[in-house]
Amino acid sequence: MNSLLPWSALLVPLCASALIVLLFQRARQVSVFISVGAVLFSFVCSCLIFSRQDIAAAEIDWINFPGLLHVPIGFTLDRLSKTMLLIVTGVGALIHIYSIGYMREDDGEARYFAALSLFIFSMLGIVLANNFVMMFIFWELVGVSSYLLIGHWFMKDAAADAANKAFITNRVGDFGFMLGILMVWGATGTVIFREMAPRLTGLATNPAFLTLAVLLIFCGAVGKSAQFPLHVWLPDAMEGPTPVSALIHAATMVAAGVYMLVRVGFLVQASPDALRVISWIGTITALLAGLIATQQDDIKRILAYSTLSQLGYMIMAVGLASGETAMFHLFTHAFFKALLFLGAGSVIVALHHEQNIWKMGGQGKNLILTFVSFSVGTLALIGFPFFSGYFSKDAILALAYARQPVIFALALFTAFLTAFYMVRLFVVVFLGKPRSQTAFASQESPTTMLVPLVVLAICSLLGGYRFFAGRFLALPEEHHTGLVIPLLPLVAMTAGSVLAFLLYRGRATDPLNLRALRDRLYLDEFYGWIIEHTQDALARLSAFIDRWLIDAGAVRGASSATWGFGTVLRLLQVGNLQAYAILFGFGIVWVIYFVIFR
Amino acid sequence: MTTLGDYLFVSGTLFAIGFAGVLLRRNVIIIFMALELMLNAANLSLVAFSRFRVSASGLPNYHAQVLVFFIITVAAAEVAVGLAIIVAVYRARRTTHVEDLNALKF
Amino acid sequence: MPAPLFWFFAIVMLVFGALVIINRNPVASALSLVVCFLGLSALFLSLDAFFIGIIQVLVYAGAVMVLFLFIIMLLDLRAEERRKLNWVALIGGALVALALLAEIWSVIGRTKIAHQVLPALSSPRIDDVRNVGLLLFDQYNLPFQVIAVLVVVATIGVIVLSKRELR
């Protein structure tokens, strides 16, 4: 029984997805039931796994070349993975329930739930994998599920393009990931995490190799967790349904990068240069995303950039050599970000799929429960005392203060920005007067959408306390920084909130107009330019080779050579008898020479 | 005493003279005559071998002489036909210069 | 035949053979060829090939060369006009002919049988007409018949080729 639990937790969502695709695509209610049932089952299994100490799962030997390559299909079941199991299945279950209400009128409901179950299966695979190759396979599967879900409304060009963009950008990161895995395998001879740690001493003699391998593995996290420069897919991924944004692009999939780095923390922390790069990339991402978020007008885009920013914090923590701090923030972020997305979804549905914040307003009066839970989420995100985000964000800031003051300063400024754009969002959407007819007449969402909001709000409130989080995670050590740490972030948060409140209260349009930030710092245009020009250059090179080297050179060359040869030979046919006779005699002379005199 | 080599030497020289004539002269009739020289050189060497290869009964090897007989006959027939052709060509082209007879080209 | 006589006739043959190809006048070439054939016939006789020697004079010098002269007269060929000499062809042809000559001489010089002297015959006078005839009609009868047909064919061919268009 004990060894079956992990397998059933992993495989039941897959079976659900397969059943829906193969048999029940027409029967929408049945599909919903199967999918939600499957994820609840996995959640129960996860709880059981968590509560027991003696869980050991049977391993399947998939590839086994002794001494060369051993790739099993097996599970790691330590505290970290058990906690992630709970987060994935728990938040996943809540979002499944939310989706029942959200996708009620959608025609592709069955397809949606099939893809959602596939996602749960893939994500659990990443969490449970005990070796790099298995993790990579599920890594790609998660990318596929994300593609399917972002492109759920594929009839819209924007959604189809966004799905492509997400998958391709991820592939770029995964290429580096694969190279990193190969390098590590080459150096240690194994891909299994448990066996890798003792063999790292061999790599210590070649620090450059180790740094390069770690940075390449980090590329995978850069792609999956949308760090700079591969962050461009996450804002566009908001084209997918809001529950998808909540589950995949806030709570779980984008956290996979952080999880992976913590899982191989022994490898990452062996290279100080790589750590420095990682921490700086996290910081840059956090800062960049925070700046852009202050000028966005789409509610989901603001939350997407907020996710980017918080992921930057987590990666920053990983780079500052504290996986526990990163996991702590991941833990709390899962709850409040999912909450914020689901709340936004509730508002969007109430306003008949309107997403521009300047057409909302005054929702605090109409959507009471959504308003309350959204406030909880906002306060948690900006780090208001007693909410979960306060504890985890302060932990990261304390870490930065102790290890890298420059990064601390930038992180502090980002906290200020976080408060600014979240309060801006909150004020514009929920306070003031409704700015459109639909905003005026909005009504609260159905119960299936409200229950998850409540549950997540409770978790966002309690998530930071030691008695709650300490059961699941190894909490980071306390850094004794005196009063600096509680004080400075509070100052930043207050400053940001007050500034936003004063600027945006009672406004109908945005008083600030910073073009560069509004246009996302022109990074998308820059990438498009690069791709267009490299493709152009490659195409021109191929055309040149094809037209001049192959066509003119080889093909035409062969025919021209034959033709030329023939023309030359034709010159012998002069019609002159004596010329023939001379050639004839010449031949005879040569033959006699070769036969007799050699 | 003359040896077989002397006869062959003379025969070869005559052959080379005829060959040079074929290659160097421009008049078709002269070329034809040089061709006859080559044939006769071959006849000479055949007869020489016939005489120098005496059989057991003390007689020359007459097989070569029979061959020479045939060669002479065929050469005569060939000359007749060849000259008839030259006459026909002359009637058409009014020339016996071999460089003017170059219709058989590409 | 004593060696001097052999060399005399050989030189006559070679010189007049060369004159054939050197002469500009076709009639002079034809007459040189006749003398060359006479020399050749003498060489045949020196090899005890009496039948072949006579046939050479009768057929070649008597019939073939007469035919040549008839044709030269018929076509009323003058001396060859001077045309622009194609030096390349001339040099090339001369070289090829000289190369062939050199090769023939060296081959003959190397073979062992070239040093063989005239072997003795069973009797000083042999009846070679009879012997040749016996061989011809006995072993080579079929080729003989074929040659006869060939001559007839040649005759008919010549007549056909020489016909003028019937008016």
Side-chain angles (χ1 to χ4, degrees), chain C residues 50-64:
Chain C
F50 305 111
F51 177 62
I52 298 296
I54 299 299
I55 290 294
Q56 173 81 9
V57 171
L58 275 178
V59 173
Y60 253 113
V64 171

Side-chain angles (χ1 to χ4, degrees), chain C residues 49-91:
Chain C
F50 305 111
F51 177 62
I52 298 296
I54 299 299
I55 290 294
Q56 173 81 9
V57 171
L58 275 178
V59 173
Y60 253 113
V64 171
M65 291 320 298
V66 169
L67 182 58
F68 261 106
L69 280 164
F70 275 168
I71 297 298
I72 292 170
M73 298 300 177
L74 180 68
L75 300 184
D76 197 11
L77 292 176
R78 301 295 159 73
E80 196 175 289
E81 311 119 23
R82 278 201 178 274
R83 273 207 204 174
K84 200 166 77 73
L85 290 172
N86 184 354
W87 283 109
V88 175
L90 276 177
I91 302 286

Side-chain angles (χ1 to χ4, degrees), chain B residues 48-100:
Chain B
F49 273 112
S50 150
R51 176 65 179 84
F52 278 83
R53 284 261 175 252
V54 175
S55 62
S57 57
L59 289 174
N61 189 341
Y62 283 111
H63 292 265
Q65 294 195 13
V66 170
L67 185 57
V68 168
F69 177 84
F70 286 143
I71 290 175
I72 291 175
T73 314
V74 171
E78 168 216 335
V79 164
V81 175
L83 285 175
I85 290 176
I86 289 174
V87 166
V89 167
Y90 184 80
R91 284 202 191 129
R93 300 285 177 111
R94 294 243 75 107
T95 175
T96 54
H97 203 268
V98 74
E99 278 176 12
D100 296 335

Side-chain angles (χ1 to χ4, degrees), chain A residues 361-369 371 429-434 439-440 442-444:
Chain A
Q363 296 309 303
K365 296 195 192 58
N366 294 355
L367 312 172
I368 310 263
L369 202 58
F371 172 62
V429 173
F430 287 99
L431 302 182
K433 287 197 256 301
F440 186 72
S442 60
Q443 283 180 322
E444 190 62 273

Side-chain angles (χ1 to χ4, degrees), chain A residues 35 101 129 131 155 159 184 200 203 273 310 346 354 360 370 441 529 544 551 573:
Chain A
S35 180
N131 62 77
M155 313 68 118
V184 169
L200 272 186
L203 275 179
D273 296 316
Q310 300 304 307
S346 178
E354 174 60 63
M360 302 177 186
T370 309
W529 182 89
F544 171 75
D551 264 359
Q573 306 287 328

Side-chain angles (χ1 to χ4, degrees), chain A residues 468-594:
Chain A
F468 187 72
R471 293 166 70 83
F472 301 103
L473 299 171
L475 285 180
E477 54 190 52
E478 300 279 335
H479 289 275
H480 296 287
T481 55
L483 277 180
V484 176
I485 279 309
L487 206 56
L488 284 179
L490 270 179
V491 169
M493 180 207 81
T494 319
S497 320
V498 168
L499 190 62
F501 189 72
L502 290 176
L503 265 179
Y504 288 97
R505 189 161 71 111
R507 297 268 187 174
T509 52
D510 201 330
L512 288 178
N513 195 350
L514 303 165
R515 281 302 301 283
L517 294 182
R518 199 172 282 273
D519 291 336
R520 305 180 312 271
L521 291 177
Y522 304 111
L523 277 170
D524 281 316
E525 286 81 8
F526 176 62
Y527 284 159
W529 182 89
I530 289 182
I531 291 173
E532 177 192 330
H533 280 83
T534 49
Q535 277 235 324
D536 236 13
L538 269 176
R540 245 179 266 131
L541 180 66
S542 306
F544 171 75
I545 292 177
D546 186 48
R547 210 173 289 145
W548 291 108
L549 294 183
I550 298 181
D551 264 359
V555 173
R556 208 98 60 63
S559 77
S560 304
T562 314
W563 189 82
F565 202 58
T567 311
V568 166
L569 279 180
R570 246 194 315 179
L571 292 173
L572 287 175
Q573 306 287 328
V574 287
N576 184 346
L577 280 169
Q578 286 182 316
Y580 296 160
I582 291 179
L583 290 171
F584 195 67
F586 195 64
I588 293 177
V589 166
W590 266 111
V591 168
I592 293 177
Y593 179 69
F594 273 111

